[in-house]
Amino acid sequence: MTASFFGGVHGFFHSTTWSVIETVAVIFVVVLWIATVFWVNKDARRRIASQPLVWLGTLLGALPPFLGPLVYMLFRPPEYLEDVHERRLEIQAIERRLAARQCPVCNAEAEPEFLVCPVCATKLRQACVKCKRPLEPSWKVCPYCETQVGAEPPVELRPKRPARPRAPRTTEPRATETQSPS
Ligand SMILES: [Zn+2]
Ligand SMILES: [Zn+2]
């Protein structure tokens, strides 16, 4: 009875059924291994800029099988390259915005509406000749009233020349030269 049972088990492991199961299992493991190597390569390309390091990471993902990807995950860069790039752009934009709100001479805080720096009196912006709103140095035309930058101010807004103080008229005769001496 026992002998026939072990004989059966022995027979099973030498049967074609077992060899088929074995082959399928080996193929499954190999496919899984290739898939992990592909995954490591794809992940490394998204996180590592240097090409040799990407291939080094892929090699680590391949060998030792299945353990390599775990080791790779411990040492991979924490961020995707595009996230790093995006964050760098955001920081640059913030820096530009801050620089635009600073006096270039004394670094005092200057609102975008300021024409001169309130601390060191540096000229920061021109005012539009017509609507008097602050203009950025790169602007060719005032965006608020369409006046050309550098155009002559409209007549009614030109500063009037200060009137010369006239000498008060005297009602008295100016000279007595013509008067004949009595
Ligand atoms: Zn200043
Ligand atoms: Zn204007």
Side-chain angles (χ1 to χ4, degrees), residues 128-133 135 142 144-147:
C128 172
V129 290
K130 190 174 170 194
C131 68
K132 301 293 174 201
R133 298 182 85 160
L135 304 173
C142 172
Y144 307 108
C145 69
E146 294 185 78
T147 303

Side-chain angles (χ1 to χ4, degrees), residues 2-80:
T2 320
S4 70
F5 173 73
F6 279 115
V9 170
H10 188 258
F12 173 74
F13 281 114
H14 282 273
S15 67
T16 34
T17 315
W18 172 249
S19 73
V20 167
I21 291 172
E22 210 176 35
T23 311
V24 168
V26 167
I27 289 172
F28 178 75
V29 169
V30 168
V31 167
L32 199 68
W33 173 64
I34 291 172
T36 58
V37 175
F38 266 103
W39 176 82
V40 168
N41 179 260
K42 197 176 123 189
D43 192 76
R45 274 186 286 140
R46 289 186 70 185
R47 292 172 192 269
I48 303 168
S50 154
Q51 202 62 33
L53 280 180
V54 169
W55 289 112
L56 195 71
T58 309
L59 193 70
L60 182 67
L63 297 169
F66 306 112
L67 189 65
L70 293 177
V71 177
Y72 163 78
M73 281 169 77
L74 291 178
F75 289 103
R76 68 182 180 181
E79 282 179 300
Y80 289 136

Side-chain angles (χ1 to χ4, degrees), residues 103 106 117 120 122:
C103 169
C106 69
C117 171
C120 71
T122 300

Side-chain angles (χ1 to χ4, degrees), residues 78-96:
E79 282 179 300
Y80 289 136
L81 287 174
E82 50 186 288
D83 291 344
V84 174
H85 180 67
E86 216 164 90
R87 202 187 51 234
R88 205 173 294 153
L89 287 182
E90 264 168 41
I91 290 171
Q92 280 174 357
I94 291 169
E95 279 174 352
R96 268 200 302 275

